[in-house]
Amino acid sequence: MVSGEMSRVGEIEAGGGGGEGVGAGVKELVEANRQLKAELDEAIMEATKLKDQLKVVEAGSKNGVASGKNAAKAQSRYWTRDEHERFLSAVELYGSRDVRSIADYVGTRNPTQVRTHAQKYFMKVAKADSGARKDSKKGMTKSASGIELLLSVASNHSSIAPRC
């Protein structure tokens, strides 16, 4: 209660203020009580919302999901087919060493994730290519070197899974 309301309650309890003052004082108290109940209900609703949000954050942190500012950047460990296709397009545009530009082009991964994906992907491509070459009748031949070879093999090997 507000101090003005407290003094009015004191007047009413003391019997001061006459007959009309008592009725008006009760009305004021009823109105103040209604307002306080409404404010309390709002506060309880807000507290409930905050508790629910806290449960979501705690559940996410237990499951290894980032929370707070990093929640938007929380990623699946595996690259989606769409991300991998954008990765391949970016490698053709920027080369395999410009991981920051590739990450910007992919849009959902950071440079460290791009670098790791590129390493694993190109190792798979090289392994698949060397296995295919060993099986050929002509044996091991080199038609290109380095990234050009990997890119050409990558474009020809659609069976290489993007889950790196």
Side-chain angles (χ1 to χ4, degrees), residues 85-97:
E85 289 173 4
R86 284 183 278 153
F87 164 80
L88 292 176
S89 298
V91 168
E92 289 178 19
L93 288 171
Y94 304 112
S96 65
R97 293 193 179 266

Side-chain angles (χ1 to χ4, degrees), residues 1-9 29 32 35-36 39:
M1 274 195 231
V2 180
S3 62
E5 293 172 1
M6 289 294 286
S7 64
R8 184 71 185 140
V9 170
L29 289 174
Q35 288 177 349
L36 290 171
E39 290 175 14

Side-chain angles (χ1 to χ4, degrees), residues 6-107:
M6 289 294 286
S7 64
R8 184 71 185 140
V9 170
E11 285 179 24
I12 293 170
E13 288 176 351
E20 276 186 39
V22 173
V26 171
K27 288 180 183 178
E28 290 176 16
L29 289 174
V30 169
E31 179 61 24
N33 187 30
R34 187 192 61 75
Q35 288 177 349
L36 290 171
K37 282 183 179 180
E39 290 175 14
L40 181 60
D41 288 342
E42 287 181 35
I44 289 171
M45 287 176 41
E46 183 66 24
T48 303
K49 287 180 188 178
L50 292 172
K51 283 180 184 179
D52 292 342
Q53 290 175 353
L54 180 61
K55 286 178 185 177
V56 169
V57 169
E58 286 175 345
S61 65
K62 287 179 185 176
N63 295 330
V65 176
S67 62
K69 285 194 279 186
N70 296 330
K73 294 195 173 203
Q75 282 286 315
S76 168
R77 176 178 173 194
Y78 299 106
W79 284 56
T80 64
R81 183 169 303 280
D82 184 48
E83 287 175 324
H84 183 69
E85 289 173 4
R86 284 183 278 153
F87 164 80
L88 292 176
S89 298
V91 168
E92 289 178 19
L93 288 171
Y94 304 112
S96 65
R97 293 193 179 266
D98 191 358
V99 293
R100 185 171 306 277
S101 296
I102 296 171
D104 290 341
Y105 189 87
V106 171

Side-chain angles (χ1 to χ4, degrees), residues 98-154:
D98 191 358
V99 293
R100 185 171 306 277
S101 296
I102 296 171
D104 290 341
Y105 189 87
V106 171
T108 55
R109 300 292 176 156
N110 64 41
T112 302
Q113 291 170 318
V114 168
R115 185 179 308 109
T116 303
H117 183 69
Q119 289 169 346
K120 291 177 181 180
Y121 175 73
F122 289 132
M123 284 172 46
K124 280 185 178 183
V125 169
K127 184 176 181 180
D129 185 49
S130 69
R133 286 181 178 208
K134 286 180 184 177
D135 292 341
S136 70
K137 293 180 182 180
K138 297 180 182 177
M140 296 287 282
T141 60
K142 282 194 171 182
S143 60
S145 63
I147 298 301
E148 293 81 22
L149 174 64
L150 293 174
L151 288 174
S152 66
V153 171

